[in-house]
Short mmCIF file of all heavy atoms in Angstrom, two decimals:
data_model
loop_
_atom_site.label_atom_id
_atom_site.label_comp_id
_atom_site.label_asym_id
_atom_site.label_seq_id
_atom_site.Cartn_x
_atom_site.Cartn_y
_atom_site.Cartn_z
N ALA A 224 59.63 54.02 89.35
CA ALA A 224 60.20 55.38 89.34
C ALA A 224 61.45 55.48 90.21
O ALA A 224 62.32 56.32 89.95
CB ALA A 224 59.12 56.37 89.88
N ALA A 225 61.56 54.57 91.22
CA ALA A 225 62.67 54.66 92.14
C ALA A 225 63.94 53.95 91.63
O ALA A 225 64.96 53.95 92.32
CB ALA A 225 62.28 54.09 93.49
N VAL A 226 63.91 53.37 90.45
CA VAL A 226 65.16 52.75 89.95
C VAL A 226 65.90 53.70 88.97
O VAL A 226 67.05 53.43 88.65
CB VAL A 226 64.96 51.40 89.28
CG1 VAL A 226 64.27 50.41 90.20
CG2 VAL A 226 64.22 51.46 87.97
N TYR A 227 65.22 54.74 88.50
CA TYR A 227 65.92 55.62 87.56
C TYR A 227 66.91 56.48 88.29
O TYR A 227 66.72 56.90 89.42
CB TYR A 227 64.89 56.49 86.80
CG TYR A 227 64.02 55.71 85.91
CD1 TYR A 227 62.70 55.44 86.19
CD2 TYR A 227 64.54 55.20 84.68
CE1 TYR A 227 61.91 54.67 85.33
CE2 TYR A 227 63.76 54.41 83.85
CZ TYR A 227 62.46 54.16 84.18
OH TYR A 227 61.67 53.40 83.34
N LEU A 228 68.01 56.80 87.57
CA LEU A 228 69.10 57.55 88.22
C LEU A 228 68.81 59.04 88.25
O LEU A 228 69.29 59.76 89.14
CB LEU A 228 70.44 57.26 87.53
CG LEU A 228 70.83 55.74 87.68
CD1 LEU A 228 71.90 55.35 86.69
CD2 LEU A 228 71.27 55.47 89.11
N HIS A 229 68.09 59.55 87.27
CA HIS A 229 67.67 60.95 87.26
C HIS A 229 66.22 60.99 86.82
O HIS A 229 65.77 60.13 86.08
CB HIS A 229 68.49 61.76 86.24
CG HIS A 229 69.96 61.79 86.49
ND1 HIS A 229 70.89 61.37 85.59
CD2 HIS A 229 70.66 62.20 87.59
CE1 HIS A 229 72.09 61.52 86.11
NE2 HIS A 229 71.97 61.99 87.34
N ASP A 230 65.50 62.05 87.26
CA ASP A 230 64.10 62.10 86.77
C ASP A 230 64.11 62.47 85.29
O ASP A 230 65.11 62.90 84.76
CB ASP A 230 63.27 63.02 87.68
CG ASP A 230 63.61 64.47 87.49
OD1 ASP A 230 63.61 64.93 86.36
OD2 ASP A 230 63.87 65.15 88.54
N GLU A 231 62.93 62.33 84.68
CA GLU A 231 62.87 62.41 83.23
C GLU A 231 63.22 63.82 82.71
O GLU A 231 63.58 64.00 81.55
CB GLU A 231 61.52 61.97 82.71
CG GLU A 231 60.37 62.76 83.29
CD GLU A 231 59.03 62.16 82.87
OE1 GLU A 231 58.89 61.88 81.69
OE2 GLU A 231 58.16 62.05 83.74
N HIS A 232 63.07 64.86 83.58
CA HIS A 232 63.33 66.22 83.13
C HIS A 232 64.83 66.63 83.29
O HIS A 232 65.25 67.66 82.81
CB HIS A 232 62.48 67.20 83.86
CG HIS A 232 61.02 66.82 83.83
ND1 HIS A 232 60.33 66.82 82.63
CD2 HIS A 232 60.15 66.46 84.76
CE1 HIS A 232 59.08 66.40 82.88
NE2 HIS A 232 58.95 66.16 84.18
N TRP A 233 65.57 65.82 84.04
CA TRP A 233 66.92 66.19 84.40
C TRP A 233 67.79 66.42 83.17
O TRP A 233 68.57 67.39 83.15
CB TRP A 233 67.53 65.09 85.28
CG TRP A 233 68.88 65.47 85.80
CD1 TRP A 233 69.16 66.08 86.98
CD2 TRP A 233 70.13 65.25 85.16
NE1 TRP A 233 70.52 66.29 87.09
CE2 TRP A 233 71.17 65.78 85.99
CE3 TRP A 233 70.52 64.67 83.96
CZ2 TRP A 233 72.53 65.74 85.65
CZ3 TRP A 233 71.87 64.65 83.62
CH2 TRP A 233 72.83 65.18 84.48
N TYR A 234 67.66 65.59 82.17
CA TYR A 234 68.57 65.66 81.00
C TYR A 234 68.35 66.96 80.26
O TYR A 234 69.33 67.66 79.96
CB TYR A 234 68.37 64.43 80.13
CG TYR A 234 68.68 63.16 80.92
CD1 TYR A 234 67.70 62.47 81.63
CD2 TYR A 234 70.01 62.70 81.01
CE1 TYR A 234 68.00 61.33 82.38
CE2 TYR A 234 70.33 61.60 81.79
CZ TYR A 234 69.33 60.92 82.47
OH TYR A 234 69.63 59.82 83.26
N GLU A 235 67.09 67.33 80.02
CA GLU A 235 66.86 68.57 79.31
C GLU A 235 67.27 69.75 80.17
O GLU A 235 67.88 70.68 79.70
CB GLU A 235 65.34 68.62 78.97
CG GLU A 235 65.11 69.49 77.79
CD GLU A 235 63.61 69.67 77.53
OE1 GLU A 235 62.83 68.75 77.82
OE2 GLU A 235 63.25 70.76 77.02
N ALA A 236 66.93 69.65 81.47
CA ALA A 236 67.27 70.77 82.37
C ALA A 236 68.77 71.00 82.45
O ALA A 236 69.22 72.10 82.71
CB ALA A 236 66.68 70.53 83.74
N ASN A 237 69.53 69.97 82.23
CA ASN A 237 70.97 70.08 82.31
C ASN A 237 71.66 70.06 80.94
O ASN A 237 72.86 69.85 80.80
CB ASN A 237 71.55 68.94 83.15
CG ASN A 237 71.26 69.20 84.63
OD1 ASN A 237 72.00 69.89 85.31
ND2 ASN A 237 70.13 68.66 85.11
N SER A 238 70.85 70.26 79.88
CA SER A 238 71.36 70.29 78.51
C SER A 238 72.21 69.08 78.16
O SER A 238 73.29 69.21 77.58
CB SER A 238 72.18 71.58 78.26
OG SER A 238 71.42 72.72 78.55
N VAL A 239 71.76 67.89 78.59
CA VAL A 239 72.38 66.66 78.19
C VAL A 239 71.54 66.08 77.08
O VAL A 239 70.33 65.83 77.27
CB VAL A 239 72.52 65.68 79.36
CG1 VAL A 239 72.99 64.33 78.90
CG2 VAL A 239 73.47 66.24 80.45
#
Side-chain angles (χ1 to χ4, degrees):
V226 304
Y227 292 107
L228 296 164
H229 299 124
D230 71 51
E231 58 186 315
H232 307 297
W233 186 91
Y234 298 92
E235 205 185 329
N237 286 275
S238 304
V239 171

